[in-house]
């Protein structure tokens, strides 16, 4: 059984398929495609990947909550905003038929998740039981979930999506924020982050980018993101009070991004626009800007 967590854009699909081919992953083995949330860079290519895989396995399903399904099939506004920042890199988002979805409710009770009726049994292997769960983690977007592989009742791996910051460093456990407009909500994000920390996952994946082994590393970087997100919000408030101009605030925040990253180049056209968007999302959440 294979499970694909997030897909990328419609333009990324060909690269993902090439990866499957190089690693001898049969398309017929895929049982679920699982979006963390509806953004074009995470599941914008979901419609295309489903179309291709369903030809090999008609039973494959997109495992999602009702909110994600709704956003995916009402994507014009999202794509328009994405193109204004990222141009043609957003790819295309097309409607996905109802029969493609298996709708599941995200896990809300983190303390008793292993008793949740929404856990999906994947397989029994070498004396171990593997299940799939989608943990409710709004903040970056209202529909955000963190898919997790649960081994014998404990979280073995969790894909953070954008519920635990973004990682642009190969040697330091330091994050960058995920405060994208127009749906970012700071309070929800921080509550979700605390819930994820409580799970004590053995390993985790970041959508942008990277993978961490060892429970202590996972906890460390999530606590770090918790701390930096508070600091980041405080800095936005500080700089806004100094001068309530978006460009001023972006210029003041830029050095913080630069020192916390090896690859996030604040001078690059794409990253510079992303920086503006991340700042604008926090300004919106604070009530300093409107969409």
């Amino acid at each position: 059984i294979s499970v694909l967590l997030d897909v990328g854009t419609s333009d990324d699909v060909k690269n993902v398929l090439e990866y499957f081919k190089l690693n001898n992953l049969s398309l017929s083995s895929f049982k679920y495609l699982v979006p963390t949330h509806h953004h074009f860079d995470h599941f914008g290519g979901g419609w295309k990947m489903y179309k291709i895989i369903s030809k090999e396995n008609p039973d494959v399903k997109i495992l999602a909550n009702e909110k994600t399904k709704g956003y995916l099939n009402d994507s014009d506004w999202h794509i328009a905003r994405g193109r204004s920042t990222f141009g043609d890199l957003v790819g295309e988002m097309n409607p996905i038929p109802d029969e493609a979805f298996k709708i599941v409710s995200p896990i809300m009770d983190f303390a008793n998740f292993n008793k949740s009726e929404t856990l999906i049994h994947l397989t029994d292997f070498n004396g171990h039981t593997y299940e799939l769960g989608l943990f409710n983690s709004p903040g970056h977007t209202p529909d955000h979930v963190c898919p997790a592989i649960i081994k014998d009742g404990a979280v073995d791996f969790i894909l953070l999506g954008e519920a635990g910051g973004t990682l642009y460093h190969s040697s330091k456990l330091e994050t960058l924020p995920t405060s994208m407009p127009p749906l970012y909500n700071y309070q929800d994000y921080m509550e979700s982050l605390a819930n994820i920390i409580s799970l004590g996952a053995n390993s985790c994946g970041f959508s942008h980018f990277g993978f961490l082994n060892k429970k202590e590393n996972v906890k460390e970087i999530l606590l770090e993101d918790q701390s930096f997100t508070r600091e980041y919000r405080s800095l936005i408030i500080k700089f806004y009070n100094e001068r309530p101009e978006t460009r001023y605030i972006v210029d003041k925040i830029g050095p913080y991004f630069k020192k916390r990253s090896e690859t996030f180049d604040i001078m690059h056209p794409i990253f510079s626009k992303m920086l503006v968007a991340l700042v604008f999302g926090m300004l919106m959440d604070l009530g300093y800007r409107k969409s």
Side-chain angles (χ1 to χ4, degrees), residues 46 116 163:
S116 173

Side-chain angles (χ1 to χ4, degrees), residues 22 77 91 128 149 158 179-180 194 230 246 253 288:
L22 289 172
W77 64 276
H128 299 287
I149 303 299
I158 188 166
S179 47
M180 274 288 177
R230 291 193 189 101
T246 301
I253 284 289
Y288 297 158

